[in-house]
Amino acid sequence: MAKYLLLKHYRGAPAAVNDVPMDQWTPEEISAHVRYMNDFAARLEKSGEYVDGQALAPEGSWVRYGGEGRPPVTDGPFAETKDLIAGWTIIDVDSHERALELAAELSAAPGAGGRPIHEWLEVRPVMSAHCTVTE
């Protein structure tokens, strides 16, 4: 088994087919999307392939070590993770092909108008002491 990160992006990935920002969805459309995501996770929990997943809130801060005392906190000047990463799912699957299959399924979550988003997801292996990256 190998772990993979399925990363959902707000920006930075190619545009989704149904590219309507979530803040323009109706409450019913948001509920349908969340239900799809929860059903996806529940199915993978039953198969033993689900590790964890979270949606991320839009707020956040940049922090770096600034020497002794309190580290500085800033909102830029760089592209911020809060603008780029919408959420993530970690899966533990038998193959890279299975990770791609599940990412493609997750990409079909409903969005505006109840139509599948067909968003691009980034699929990355989780490194371990015995990790072999093949691409």
Side-chain angles (χ1 to χ4, degrees), residues 2 6-8 12 15 17 21 26 44 47 54 56 61 66-67 72 84 89 92 98-100 110 122 128 133-134:
L6 309 181
L7 191 57
K8 296 174 67 71
V17 171
T26 67
L44 294 185
S47 70
Q54 298 293 323
L56 299 175
S61 300
L84 301 176
T89 299
D92 195 357
R98 178 65 175 154
L100 297 177
E122 185 177 354
S128 68
V133 179
T134 58

mmCIF file of all heavy atoms in Angstrom, residues 2 6-8 12 15 17 21 26 44 47 54 56 61 66-67 72 84 89 92 98-100 110 122 128 133-134:
data_model
loop_
_atom_site.group_PDB
_atom_site.id
_atom_site.type_symbol
_atom_site.label_atom_id
_atom_site.label_comp_id
_atom_site.label_asym_id
_atom_site.label_seq_id
_atom_site.Cartn_x
_atom_site.Cartn_y
_atom_site.Cartn_z
ATOM 1 N N ALA A 2 0.441 2.272 -0.685
ATOM 2 C CA ALA A 2 1.162 3.541 -0.734
ATOM 3 C C ALA A 2 0.170 4.669 -0.484
ATOM 4 O O ALA A 2 -0.981 4.602 -0.919
ATOM 5 C CB ALA A 2 1.825 3.714 -2.093
ATOM 6 N N LEU A 6 -4.357 13.776 -2.410
ATOM 7 C CA LEU A 6 -5.201 14.326 -3.473
ATOM 8 C C LEU A 6 -5.470 15.766 -3.065
ATOM 9 O O LEU A 6 -6.177 16.017 -2.086
ATOM 10 C CB LEU A 6 -6.503 13.541 -3.605
ATOM 11 C CG LEU A 6 -6.372 12.022 -3.736
ATOM 12 C CD1 LEU A 6 -7.751 11.380 -3.883
ATOM 13 C CD2 LEU A 6 -5.470 11.648 -4.892
ATOM 14 N N LEU A 7 -4.914 16.708 -3.788
ATOM 15 C CA LEU A 7 -4.921 18.104 -3.390
ATOM 16 C C LEU A 7 -5.868 18.905 -4.261
ATOM 17 O O LEU A 7 -5.745 18.928 -5.490
ATOM 18 C CB LEU A 7 -3.499 18.656 -3.498
ATOM 19 C CG LEU A 7 -3.195 19.999 -2.908
ATOM 20 C CD1 LEU A 7 -3.540 20.037 -1.416
ATOM 21 C CD2 LEU A 7 -1.716 20.319 -3.106
ATOM 22 N N LYS A 8 -6.841 19.555 -3.611
ATOM 23 C CA LYS A 8 -7.803 20.413 -4.304
ATOM 24 C C LYS A 8 -7.294 21.845 -4.256
ATOM 25 O O LYS A 8 -6.897 22.326 -3.215
ATOM 26 C CB LYS A 8 -9.170 20.334 -3.640
ATOM 27 C CG LYS A 8 -9.809 18.957 -3.719
ATOM 28 C CD LYS A 8 -11.094 18.863 -2.923
ATOM 29 C CE LYS A 8 -12.215 19.684 -3.467
ATOM 30 N NZ LYS A 8 -12.815 19.238 -4.696
ATOM 31 N N GLY A 12 -4.283 28.068 -9.437
ATOM 32 C CA GLY A 12 -3.003 27.467 -9.752
ATOM 33 C C GLY A 12 -3.129 26.231 -10.624
ATOM 34 O O GLY A 12 -2.220 25.918 -11.372
ATOM 35 N N ALA A 15 -8.210 25.473 -15.180
ATOM 36 C CA ALA A 15 -9.611 25.745 -14.849
ATOM 37 C C ALA A 15 -10.448 24.478 -14.966
ATOM 38 O O ALA A 15 -10.241 23.653 -15.864
ATOM 39 C CB ALA A 15 -10.179 26.816 -15.773
ATOM 40 N N VAL A 17 -14.009 22.361 -15.580
ATOM 41 C CA VAL A 17 -15.048 22.480 -16.604
ATOM 42 C C VAL A 17 -16.192 23.357 -16.087
ATOM 43 O O VAL A 17 -16.644 24.281 -16.751
ATOM 44 C CB VAL A 17 -15.570 21.081 -17.014
ATOM 45 C CG1 VAL A 17 -16.788 21.197 -17.920
ATOM 46 C CG2 VAL A 17 -14.460 20.297 -17.698
ATOM 47 N N PRO A 21 -16.967 29.805 -8.935
ATOM 48 C CA PRO A 21 -16.444 29.804 -7.561
ATOM 49 C C PRO A 21 -17.520 29.430 -6.547
ATOM 50 O O PRO A 21 -18.696 29.791 -6.701
ATOM 51 C CB PRO A 21 -15.982 31.249 -7.357
ATOM 52 C CG PRO A 21 -15.779 31.800 -8.732
ATOM 53 C CD PRO A 21 -16.776 31.092 -9.609
ATOM 54 N N THR A 26 -25.402 28.136 -4.609
ATOM 55 C CA THR A 26 -26.526 28.199 -3.682
ATOM 56 C C THR A 26 -26.224 27.309 -2.478
ATOM 57 O O THR A 26 -25.383 26.409 -2.559
ATOM 58 C CB THR A 26 -27.819 27.694 -4.357
ATOM 59 O OG1 THR A 26 -27.677 26.293 -4.626
ATOM 60 C CG2 THR A 26 -28.133 28.461 -5.641
ATOM 61 N N LEU A 44 -14.497 5.000 0.928
ATOM 62 C CA LEU A 44 -13.085 4.631 1.029
ATOM 63 C C LEU A 44 -12.723 4.150 2.434
ATOM 64 O O LEU A 44 -11.822 3.326 2.587
ATOM 65 C CB LEU A 44 -12.189 5.801 0.617
ATOM 66 C CG LEU A 44 -12.278 6.208 -0.859
ATOM 67 C CD1 LEU A 44 -11.261 7.286 -1.164
ATOM 68 C CD2 LEU A 44 -12.105 5.026 -1.781
ATOM 69 N N SER A 47 -13.510 0.509 2.402
ATOM 70 C CA SER A 47 -12.561 -0.310 1.636
ATOM 71 C C SER A 47 -11.156 -0.294 2.249
ATOM 72 O O SER A 47 -10.270 -1.000 1.780
ATOM 73 C CB SER A 47 -12.487 0.182 0.180
ATOM 74 O OG SER A 47 -11.843 1.447 0.106
ATOM 75 N N GLN A 54 -9.535 16.944 4.666
ATOM 76 C CA GLN A 54 -10.096 18.148 5.272
ATOM 77 C C GLN A 54 -10.301 19.216 4.210
ATOM 78 O O GLN A 54 -9.501 19.344 3.280
ATOM 79 C CB GLN A 54 -9.145 18.715 6.333
ATOM 80 C CG GLN A 54 -8.870 17.797 7.494
ATOM 81 C CD GLN A 54 -10.087 17.544 8.367
ATOM 82 O OE1 GLN A 54 -10.888 18.439 8.592
ATOM 83 N NE2 GLN A 54 -10.223 16.320 8.837
ATOM 84 N N LEU A 56 -10.199 23.271 3.804
ATOM 85 C CA LEU A 56 -9.457 24.304 4.514
ATOM 86 C C LEU A 56 -10.203 25.628 4.483
ATOM 87 O O LEU A 56 -10.772 26.016 3.459
ATOM 88 C CB LEU A 56 -8.066 24.479 3.884
ATOM 89 C CG LEU A 56 -7.186 23.232 3.917
ATOM 90 C CD1 LEU A 56 -5.888 23.500 3.166
ATOM 91 C CD2 LEU A 56 -6.904 22.817 5.345
ATOM 92 N N SER A 61 -2.042 32.427 7.775
ATOM 93 C CA SER A 61 -0.919 33.356 7.891
ATOM 94 C C SER A 61 0.369 32.676 7.458
ATOM 95 O O SER A 61 0.509 31.463 7.569
ATOM 96 C CB SER A 61 -0.743 33.818 9.350
ATOM 97 O OG SER A 61 -1.892 34.459 9.820
ATOM 98 N N GLY A 66 12.303 33.993 12.970
ATOM 99 C CA GLY A 66 12.939 35.296 12.847
ATOM 100 C C GLY A 66 13.989 35.524 13.913
ATOM 101 O O GLY A 66 14.300 36.662 14.227
ATOM 102 N N GLY A 67 14.535 34.452 14.480
ATOM 103 C CA GLY A 67 15.499 34.605 15.553
ATOM 104 C C GLY A 67 14.804 34.462 16.891
ATOM 105 O O GLY A 67 13.664 34.008 16.994
ATOM 106 N N PRO A 72 8.064 36.490 13.015
ATOM 107 C CA PRO A 72 7.222 37.427 12.272
ATOM 108 C C PRO A 72 6.069 36.705 11.582
ATOM 109 O O PRO A 72 6.200 35.545 11.194
ATOM 110 C CB PRO A 72 8.179 38.037 11.248
ATOM 111 C CG PRO A 72 9.317 37.100 11.161
ATOM 112 C CD PRO A 72 9.387 36.344 12.448
ATOM 113 N N LEU A 84 -4.631 29.189 -2.618
ATOM 114 C CA LEU A 84 -4.331 28.126 -3.564
ATOM 115 C C LEU A 84 -4.940 26.784 -3.191
ATOM 116 O O LEU A 84 -5.424 26.066 -4.042
ATOM 117 C CB LEU A 84 -2.809 27.962 -3.698
ATOM 118 C CG LEU A 84 -2.054 29.202 -4.160
ATOM 119 C CD1 LEU A 84 -0.560 28.926 -4.145
ATOM 120 C CD2 LEU A 84 -2.509 29.635 -5.529
ATOM 121 N N THR A 89 -7.210 15.216 0.587
ATOM 122 C CA THR A 89 -7.573 13.876 1.025
ATOM 123 C C THR A 89 -6.322 13.017 0.925
ATOM 124 O O THR A 89 -5.590 13.117 -0.060
ATOM 125 C CB THR A 89 -8.680 13.287 0.124
ATOM 126 O OG1 THR A 89 -9.841 14.110 0.200
ATOM 127 C CG2 THR A 89 -9.037 11.867 0.532
ATOM 128 N N ASP A 92 -4.703 5.552 0.971
ATOM 129 C CA ASP A 92 -3.691 4.495 1.078
ATOM 130 C C ASP A 92 -4.153 3.380 0.148
ATOM 131 O O ASP A 92 -5.102 2.656 0.464
ATOM 132 C CB ASP A 92 -3.590 4.018 2.528
ATOM 133 C CG ASP A 92 -2.341 3.204 2.794
ATOM 134 O OD1 ASP A 92 -1.577 2.950 1.847
ATOM 135 O OD2 ASP A 92 -2.139 2.819 3.957
ATOM 136 N N ARG A 98 -4.548 3.278 -9.037
ATOM 137 C CA ARG A 98 -5.738 3.385 -8.179
ATOM 138 C C ARG A 98 -5.866 4.801 -7.632
ATOM 139 O O ARG A 98 -6.971 5.335 -7.549
ATOM 140 C CB ARG A 98 -5.669 2.362 -7.032
ATOM 141 C CG ARG A 98 -6.816 2.429 -6.066
ATOM 142 C CD ARG A 98 -8.155 2.072 -6.675
ATOM 143 N NE ARG A 98 -9.191 2.043 -5.652
ATOM 144 C CZ ARG A 98 -10.466 2.255 -5.875
ATOM 145 N NH1 ARG A 98 -10.905 2.463 -7.108
ATOM 146 N NH2 ARG A 98 -11.339 2.223 -4.891
ATOM 147 N N ALA A 99 -4.755 5.426 -7.273
ATOM 148 C CA ALA A 99 -4.790 6.816 -6.802
ATOM 149 C C ALA A 99 -5.350 7.729 -7.885
ATOM 150 O O ALA A 99 -6.180 8.608 -7.606
ATOM 151 C CB ALA A 99 -3.397 7.267 -6.377
ATOM 152 N N LEU A 100 -4.919 7.517 -9.123
ATOM 153 C CA LEU A 100 -5.427 8.336 -10.234
ATOM 154 C C LEU A 100 -6.916 8.090 -10.458
ATOM 155 O O LEU A 100 -7.681 9.028 -10.722
ATOM 156 C CB LEU A 100 -4.639 8.036 -11.509
ATOM 157 C CG LEU A 100 -3.151 8.378 -11.482
ATOM 158 C CD1 LEU A 100 -2.491 7.959 -12.786
ATOM 159 C CD2 LEU A 100 -2.928 9.852 -11.196
ATOM 160 N N PRO A 110 -20.172 17.411 -7.466
ATOM 161 C CA PRO A 110 -21.071 18.407 -8.052
ATOM 162 C C PRO A 110 -20.713 19.822 -7.620
ATOM 163 O O PRO A 110 -20.206 20.049 -6.535
ATOM 164 C CB PRO A 110 -22.451 17.991 -7.518
ATOM 165 C CG PRO A 110 -22.159 17.272 -6.250
ATOM 166 C CD PRO A 110 -20.834 16.599 -6.451
ATOM 167 N N GLU A 122 -4.382 17.576 -7.865
ATOM 168 C CA GLU A 122 -2.977 17.205 -7.844
ATOM 169 C C GLU A 122 -2.841 15.910 -7.050
ATOM 170 O O GLU A 122 -3.362 15.805 -5.941
ATOM 171 C CB GLU A 122 -2.164 18.322 -7.195
ATOM 172 C CG GLU A 122 -0.687 18.100 -7.228
ATOM 173 C CD GLU A 122 0.088 19.268 -6.652
ATOM 174 O OE1 GLU A 122 -0.505 20.303 -6.322
ATOM 175 O OE2 GLU A 122 1.316 19.121 -6.529
ATOM 176 N N SER A 128 7.932 8.379 2.371
ATOM 177 C CA SER A 128 8.212 7.575 3.553
ATOM 178 C C SER A 128 9.652 7.103 3.443
ATOM 179 O O SER A 128 10.331 7.357 2.449
ATOM 180 C CB SER A 128 7.259 6.382 3.639
ATOM 181 O OG SER A 128 7.536 5.474 2.590
ATOM 182 N N VAL A 133 9.291 6.977 -5.985
ATOM 183 C CA VAL A 133 8.445 7.818 -6.827
ATOM 184 C C VAL A 133 8.645 7.385 -8.265
ATOM 185 O O VAL A 133 9.765 7.362 -8.771
ATOM 186 C CB VAL A 133 8.783 9.312 -6.652
ATOM 187 C CG1 VAL A 133 7.916 10.158 -7.559
ATOM 188 C CG2 VAL A 133 8.627 9.723 -5.194
ATOM 189 N N THR A 134 7.541 7.024 -8.905
ATOM 190 C CA THR A 134 7.593 6.625 -10.320
ATOM 191 C C THR A 134 6.618 7.470 -11.098
ATOM 192 O O THR A 134 5.450 7.581 -10.734
ATOM 193 C CB THR A 134 7.251 5.134 -10.480
ATOM 194 O OG1 THR A 134 5.954 4.897 -9.940
ATOM 195 C CG2 THR A 134 8.262 4.246 -9.801
#
